[in-house]
Amino acid sequence: MKCVLLAHSPLVEAAPSGLNICSHKYTKVRSEAPVLPRLATFRQAMPKALHIDPADYAKPGALAFPAVPVRTYARSLSEERKRRGDRTLRDVLRQMMVVREFESMLGAFKAKGAYQDIAYSYKGPAHLSIGQEAAAVGQALALQPGDHIFGSHRSHGEFIAKGLAAISRLAPDELTRIMAAHQGGALLRTVEKNLPSNSTEGLAENFLLLGLLAEIFMRANGFNAGMGGSMHAFFPPFGVYPNNAIVGASAGIATGAALWKKLSGDGGIAVANSGDGSTGCGPVWEAMNFAAMAQFCTLWDDGKKGAPPILFFFNNNFYAMGGQTIGETMGWDRLSRIAAAANPEAMHAETVDGGDPLAVADAVERKREILLRGDGPALLDVECYRSGGHSTTDANVYRSKEELAAWQAHDPIATFRAKLVEAGILTISDAEAMQEAARAQIRAVTAAAVDPSISPIVDIRAQPTLIGRLMFSNEQIAPPAGEAALLKAPEETARARQDAKKSRFGLTPEGEKLSPMRAITLRDALFEAILHHMRHDERLIAYGEECREWGGAFGVYRGLAEIMPYHRLFNSPISEAAIVATAVGYALEGGRALIELMYGDFIGRAGDEIFNQMAKWRAMSGGALKLPIVLRCSVGSKYGAQHSQDWSALVAHIPGLKVAYPATPYDAKGLLASALSSEDPVVFFESQRLYDVVEQFKPGGVPADYYRLPLGEPDVKRQGTDLTILTIGPSLYPALAAADALAAQSISVELIDARSLVPFNYEPVLNSLRKTGRILLVSEASERGGFAMTLAANIARFAFASLKAPPRVLGAPNWIVPGAEMETTYFPQIEDIVDAAMLEFFPERKAERRGIRNWNDLELARAGL
Amino acid sequence: MDVPIVMPQLGNEIEEAQVDEWLKAVGDEVGVGEPVLTITTPKLTMEIEAPASGRLKEIKVAAEELAAVDAVLGVIETE
Ligand SMILES: Cc1ncc(C[n+]2csc(CCOP(=O)(O)OP(=O)(O)O)c2C)c(N)n1
């Protein structure tokens, strides 16, 4: 197989000076092997490139922080006129008016059920940005259509401003092409018919406003087919990417988008818009640190050096609902101070006057240049004031009249308008006409959005499974066949030579198990699927904690660091939220991500990112976005209560995630290949106890060539007639031994491995039950709410007529996982499975209990314990 | 005096590992703590350092061969 070889990255040379990118980030890179202290007689063979010299850290001193500029914008209006032209300045005013009118319309519907002469009852959320228009329009003025913004619950203004700015920059042909491509041109036709304009630009503005408002009203012709709504609406062709109802969630997603922009060469920057309150969110800090990782400068190959181009743009309106960030809920005095924590450049942070669109534009323009140079990330603290409520149910009890009045005097629209009038850029009557035009435009758009004959409601009665069909694309990419740039031919690595000598099957002809050094293990099988995708698909990147030199916490990636350059395989910070959120951003931009959580128990650290982001964006985009992400989670053992839990049910419960949990090398390779080919997000569980298992079921062993096994198909591992045992994950092995023990008592077991949890084809299980009439489900998850319980409940429904006894679930008890010494008392063991089978299904045999589970689990279950 | 280089215990469940590569040839001088060979377990690749200074007298397990934990992989002859 041909492979493109990259020159070895210059890890052992000192960082070059005088380079633009990263020149400020000099870090000592080892130039010769250091003399290491003798800690042991052996050490890992792939030492880090960066040498940590105690002498460097022993010197006393003091840390200095860069000065963070606060409101230093001082350009005169006459200079701005020269730079931007009067037409642009007038348009800035007009755009702010359009934003305010749009928000006022929603506010009027919420407050009075009417706007101008239009009556409408709008049921959804309205987090309005009245008072914050200069931040949105100033930002958009500095951005190009290819720059991507990600926002918050309060992002209508940013959406409109970015859209208007893109429309003013795109050529009419391009605008027409974009509009015609959306929804097969349906929205464009609606706009042409109901909101005509004599210019393409005018038509595109109406298209933008109607697409957004119809989406807010959850109509079928909304930009996201009515599946997003006020807080989630977006429209990528104008650079408006998902807004997010979870405070701060866009920070990580936008960072992943910036990584895609950097790696794909798509150009432009990503902007994470959020409020000052989001500086209290852990995932925002994780995202900023991820974006500031030094390795982009110290370790990545020359062609890929530089930070992802991400701007963290805080719309700092001094409040998070009723909490005041300054003086009450946060410790910072000026928001931009937080940037000092991220890196020595303090993220080039600045505090700017968010009441002045030109001050904002100036700052964004300067940050954008820094970002495009690879010297990011950047942070802007944009101070502004929300003159309306947090939402329309806000009684404003937390603010004084005096404070509101004081800020009224700084209203961005009134201030900017007065400035332009004073400079003679427009007359008062021009300004009034402009305001009238904005009112008329929003009125016309609103009339079209409320009218169900123009903007049809999403008719779930007529299409009851419409939303269900949006959950998954169920698409797969063709087997990857490209040739990615590699550091070394995979065949030349020690691992490849070693694995090549291994037996593909794990048993000797006499039925003896081979050692993991002599036969392909589950770990090796996973590696083969990963290597195939990585070497043939440049879009795929893999990262997580300890993925590089360590080879993944459990060695699945061992050897991959010799093959893959840093930008394809890298160590992430200990930031589970950022790992998943960046993968979401990277994938929805067009990339593919393979990420790893060391332990499934760390899912909690990335809860929002897995449950609300990775799982939801396909459906919330009305099926427009794809999320090709594989999240590998190992399921631990031996480390006790916080490192040994099977949480597969938690993930399977969340709509929008596919879930696999293979137990054999053959299944692991084929299922991982399918997961990596999937256009839908897959959570892939791997038992740490199984990494060393060799193939014992497939007589031909694990094929060396690439193959896929479909997600969602349970597999009959052994045929039988008296009892079906359905296992999830590693329970397959004790169940197999139990089946042998039961055979000795002339009970013939049919053994089925679930392999996947979502989707799950019940047919093989139901077929089996037609023979056996009895089913025992075994898993290592605690029983209450476990996935085996879901399976059992469904099986009782589907197979009622075939059942001779109720389905029985044997899981772990609903208490903490004890330490290694007590684990066998917790996870179902061979004897426990035999006991459950004998006592539950064959009581007439009067078997003696062999295991230690001598507690009344039925009574506990009846008490819900 | 002959000092054996042994396959270390690399974890509870690991019974054998592979010798990947000898970094020294028979007859080479080695200093204590200097890497003499690399080994691989199912999970990791590691360097094994010389337990004593002297001359590599003998290689008992060749590259790409498997050896059990505690097996003698080679011998160093000290002065
Ligand atoms: C994770 C999370 N916690 C709480 C909320 C409820 N909530 C919605 S907006 C908001 C305040 C956010 O304040 P800030 O980030 O300053 O933005 P602003 O509303 O001022 O624009 C809160 C607490 C949420 N949506 N998400």
Side-chain angles (χ1 to χ4, degrees):
Chain A
M1 207 165 294
K2 202 186 106 234
C3 89
V4 188
L5 288 185
L6 280 182
H8 256 291
S9 51
L11 294 184
V12 289
E13 280 157 30
S17 58
L19 261 184
N20 233 347
I21 298 174
C22 301
S23 54
H24 53 286
K25 280 193 177 145
Y26 175 71
T27 303
K28 240 191 190 173
V29 178
R30 196 167 81 198
S31 56
E32 59 194 50
V35 183
L36 290 174
R38 283 200 62 215
L39 297 176
T41 52
F42 61 94
R43 60 185 168 81
Q44 222 165 309
M46 202 176 182
K48 307 288 293 191
L50 306 177
H51 175 46
I52 301 171
D53 186 345
D56 291 343
Y57 294 92
K59 299 172 198 126
L63 284 183
F65 294 88
V68 172
V70 173
R71 301 219 182 197
T72 50
Y73 171 77
R75 202 177 288 137
S76 68
L77 188 61
S78 59
E79 275 177 86
E80 290 286 12
R81 289 180 83 169
K82 270 186 239 136
R83 280 169 77 91
R84 303 181 192 276
D86 287 0
R87 196 168 159 253
T88 300
L89 298 183
R90 279 193 294 269
D91 216 36
V92 166
L93 179 62
R94 183 183 73 89
Q95 293 184 2
M96 290 199 290
M97 287 174 172
V98 171
V99 169
R100 179 162 300 180
E101 192 59 32
F102 187 92
E103 297 285 64
S104 302
M105 169 267 298
L106 286 171
F109 281 138
K110 292 300 282 189
K112 304 181 293 201
Y115 164 70
Q116 299 192 41
D117 57 338
I118 302 167
Y120 183 63
S121 148
Y122 165 54
K123 298 192 178 67
H127 302 91
L128 307 179
S129 61
I130 294 173
Q132 304 184 189
E133 297 86 352
V137 171
Q139 170 186 118
L141 184 61
L143 298 179
Q144 294 297 319
D147 295 328
H148 295 172
I149 62 168
F150 295 75
S152 72
H153 55 290
R154 197 181 306 289
S155 284
H156 302 157
E158 294 143 17
F159 192 136
I160 295 169
K162 179 72 166 72
L164 293 176
I167 289 167
S168 73
R169 287 194 167 87
L170 291 167
D173 287 358
E174 180 60 6
L175 283 175
T176 305
R177 193 196 60 73
I178 288 171
M179 293 191 286
H182 181 66
Q183 291 178 351
L187 182 59
L188 174 59
R189 285 191 294 277
T190 304
V191 174
E192 280 168 343
K193 182 156 168 235
N194 299 285
L195 297 165
S197 166
N198 44 24
S199 73
T200 308
E201 227 176 278
L203 201 66
E205 287 199 2
N206 292 340
F207 173 92
L208 167 77
L209 294 167
L210 182 62
L212 172 59
L213 187 55
E215 184 57 37
I216 292 173
F217 292 162
M218 317 290 306
R219 300 303 176 92
N221 62 336
F223 274 141
N224 315 111
M227 293 297 129
S230 163
M231 297 192 284
H232 311 120
F234 64 100
F235 187 62
F238 291 159
V240 184
Y241 275 69
N243 292 318
N244 216 303
I246 303 298
V247 170
S250 280
I253 296 176
T255 301
L259 188 58
W260 168 257
K261 285 184 161 298
K262 170 186 159 64
L263 293 184
S264 67
D266 268 6
I269 68 167
V271 180
N273 282 307
S274 65
D276 45 307
S278 74
T279 59
C281 300
V284 173
W285 291 82
E286 286 193 14
M288 293 192 302
N289 177 67
F290 191 103
M293 280 194 290
Q295 65 176 295
F296 297 126
C297 288
T298 53
L299 297 173
W300 287 33
D301 291 333
D302 274 347
K304 300 290 176 187
K305 264 201 178 29
I310 167 86
L311 170 62
F312 296 93
F313 186 105
F314 291 94
N315 293 276
N316 176 3
N317 60 18
F318 300 92
Y319 284 93
M321 296 189 70
Q324 278 177 329
T325 40
I326 296 178
E328 185 185 11
T329 61
M330 298 303 294
W332 44 260
D333 50 347
R334 287 308 255 274
L335 189 153
S336 47
R337 187 181 287 286
I338 65 172
N343 63 8
E345 301 80 53
M347 296 173 74
H348 313 280
E350 282 183 46
T351 290
V352 302
D353 178 5
D356 179 351
L358 301 181
V360 177
D362 164 67
V364 174
E365 279 158 2
R366 286 183 292 107
K367 300 309 153 191
R368 190 173 182 276
E369 265 173 42
I370 293 173
L371 296 177
L372 291 178
R373 251 192 356 241
D375 275 341
L379 179 150
L380 285 177
D381 163 21
V382 183
E383 291 176 340
C384 51
Y385 198 73
R386 131 173 94 67
S387 42
H390 162 75
S391 63
T392 43
T393 53
D394 180 351
N396 260 322
V397 290
Y398 51 87
R399 303 195 279 195
S400 69
K401 287 209 173 57
E402 292 72 27
E403 184 180 297
L404 285 163
W407 282 93
Q408 203 64 50
H410 289 270
D411 180 72
I413 297 181
T415 310
F416 195 64
R417 184 183 130 145
K419 241 195 218 174
L420 297 196
V421 169
E422 196 193 335
I425 297 171
L426 93 177
T427 65
I428 290 184
S429 65
D430 290 342
E432 279 164 1
M434 192 180 263
Q435 175 61 54
E436 256 331 293
R439 231 171 109 74
Q441 187 176 21
I442 297 297
R443 194 210 160 276
V445 167
T446 305
V450 298
D451 182 345
S453 72
I454 298 172
S455 298
I457 58 158
V458 178
D459 192 350
I460 301 292
R461 264 175 229 282
Q463 311 169 72
T465 60
L466 171 76
I467 301 174
R469 278 180 276 128
L470 291 174
M471 295 313 299
F472 296 118
S473 77
N474 292 318
E475 285 169 20
Q476 285 208 325
I477 55 166
E483 293 295 343
L486 307 177
L487 297 173
K488 192 186 216 181
E491 293 71 21
E492 287 167 18
T493 63
R495 179 169 198 171
R497 287 202 309 274
Q498 190 180 29
D499 288 358
K501 287 195 300 191
K502 286 182 170 184
S503 160
R504 306 298 304 183
F505 187 53
L507 300 178
T508 64
E510 296 72 44
E512 290 289 308
K513 230 183 287 169
L514 290 169
S515 99
M517 296 302 297
R518 294 168 195 267
I520 292 293
T521 62
L522 189 140
R523 176 189 286 110
D524 301 328
L526 293 170
F527 178 79
E528 289 180 353
I530 292 168
L531 177 61
H532 187 90
H533 276 263
M534 290 288 284
R535 72 184 292 181
H536 295 300
D537 189 348
E538 191 88 53
R539 294 169 301 175
L540 177 65
I541 59 172
Y543 58 100
E545 293 152 23
E546 324 310 338
C547 282
R548 227 180 137 82
E549 300 81 3
W550 204 294
F554 306 98
V556 172
Y557 291 137
R558 182 169 61 80
L560 200 59
E562 295 170 56
I563 302 168
M564 290 294 155
Y566 267 92
H567 67 276
R568 306 279 318 282
L569 175 75
F570 59 91
N571 289 333
S572 74
I574 314 306
S575 302
E576 287 78 10
I579 292 170
V580 181
T582 52
V584 170
Y586 187 80
L588 63 76
E589 287 272 357
R592 308 182 69 81
L594 171 60
I595 49 175
E596 173 173 318
L597 295 188
M598 276 174 74
Y599 281 77
D601 310 64
F602 308 159
I603 283 172
R605 274 287 175 95
D608 175 59
E609 291 69 19
I610 299 171
F611 300 153
N612 280 323
Q613 311 300 338
M614 185 169 144
K616 301 281 185 337
W617 279 109
R618 174 164 181 82
M620 278 178 17
S621 70
L625 293 179
K626 289 176 178 164
L627 279 294
I629 301 168
V630 178
L631 172 62
R632 294 179 46 241
C633 286
S634 82
V635 180
S637 70
K638 295 190 291 200
Y639 277 28
Q642 298 173 331
H643 276 70
S644 312
Q645 303 165 90
D646 171 350
W647 277 0
S648 54
L650 220 56
V651 177
H653 175 68
I654 302 296
L657 298 170
K658 293 189 172 176
V659 186
Y661 197 176
T664 68
Y666 174 78
D667 292 344
K669 179 172 175 178
L671 286 170
L672 187 55
S674 278
L676 288 167
S677 307
S678 165
E679 297 283 31
D680 299 313
V682 181
V683 181
F684 202 90
F685 287 97
E686 299 162 13
S687 166
Q688 285 173 25
R689 243 179 286 124
L690 300 188
Y691 280 129
D692 276 339
V693 299
V694 294
E695 182 55 44
Q696 298 158 52
F697 295 94
K698 253 303 169 272
V702 182
D705 289 338
Y706 180 77
Y707 62 95
R708 296 173 182 172
L709 293 173
L711 293 164
E713 293 296 328
D715 186 46
V716 177
K717 295 287 189 226
R718 178 187 280 190
Q719 310 250 345
T721 51
D722 301 325
L723 169 68
T724 303
I725 299 184
L726 173 57
T727 62
I728 299 175
S731 296
L732 173 67
Y733 295 92
L736 181 67
D740 287 339
L742 289 165
Q745 303 189 44
S746 59
I747 293 170
S748 154
V749 169
E750 176 136 315
L751 184 58
I752 307 181
D753 177 0
R755 300 201 292 192
S756 302
L757 285 69
V758 183
F760 185 87
N761 177 12
Y762 282 81
E763 216 36 56
V765 180
L766 303 182
N767 266 340
S768 174
L769 278 166
R770 281 176 205 120
K771 281 190 288 185
T772 66
R774 304 176 184 92
I775 184 161
L776 172 65
L777 299 101
V778 190
S779 104
E780 297 203 335
S782 39
E783 283 177 14
R784 186 174 57 229
F787 194 72
M789 284 292 185
T790 300
L791 291 173
N794 280 332
I795 288 164
R797 289 200 293 167
F798 304 149
F800 193 66
S802 336
L803 290 177
K804 297 179 180 136
R808 167 75 155 93
V809 170
L810 177 64
N814 301 311
W815 51 63
I816 61 164
V817 187
E821 293 75 1
M822 290 172 274
E823 247 178 26
T824 56
T825 69
Y826 182 84
F827 295 124
Q829 305 294 306
I830 301 165
E831 312 82 66
D832 303 323
I833 298 169
V834 172
D835 286 347
M838 296 303 290
L839 303 175
E840 199 83 20
F841 295 103
F842 303 98
E844 69 283 359
R845 307 266 189 117
K846 297 201 165 44
E848 295 261 314
R849 179 181 295 281
R850 294 204 256 167
I852 65 107
R853 291 183 159 232
N854 199 5
W855 59 74
N856 192 337
D857 57 354
L858 265 183
E859 194 176 292
L860 284 173
R862 284 218 176 113
L865 293 172
Chain B
M1 194 180 71
D2 285 355
V3 181
I5 305 169
V6 282
M7 179 68 87
Q9 177 65 53
L10 299 150
N12 285 340
E13 281 136 34
I14 292 171
E15 285 158 13
E16 57 182 357
Q18 174 178 291
V19 171
D20 268 346
E21 191 185 357
W22 281 92
L23 306 171
K24 299 280 171 191
V26 170
D28 283 357
E29 293 291 325
V30 294
V32 63
E34 209 183 330
V36 265
L37 75 156
T38 61
I39 59 157
T40 299
T41 73
K43 240 165 94 169
L44 295 172
T45 301
M46 290 166 176
E47 284 172 353
I48 307 250
E49 295 170 1
S53 298
R55 198 176 54 82
L56 184 59
K57 180 179 168 193
E58 192 186 351
I59 287 176
K60 285 181 172 285
V61 179
E64 313 222 340
E65 296 284 313
L66 295 178
V69 164
D70 290 339
V72 176
L73 306 174
V75 177
I76 292 173
E77 183 176 47
T78 60
E79 305 303 301

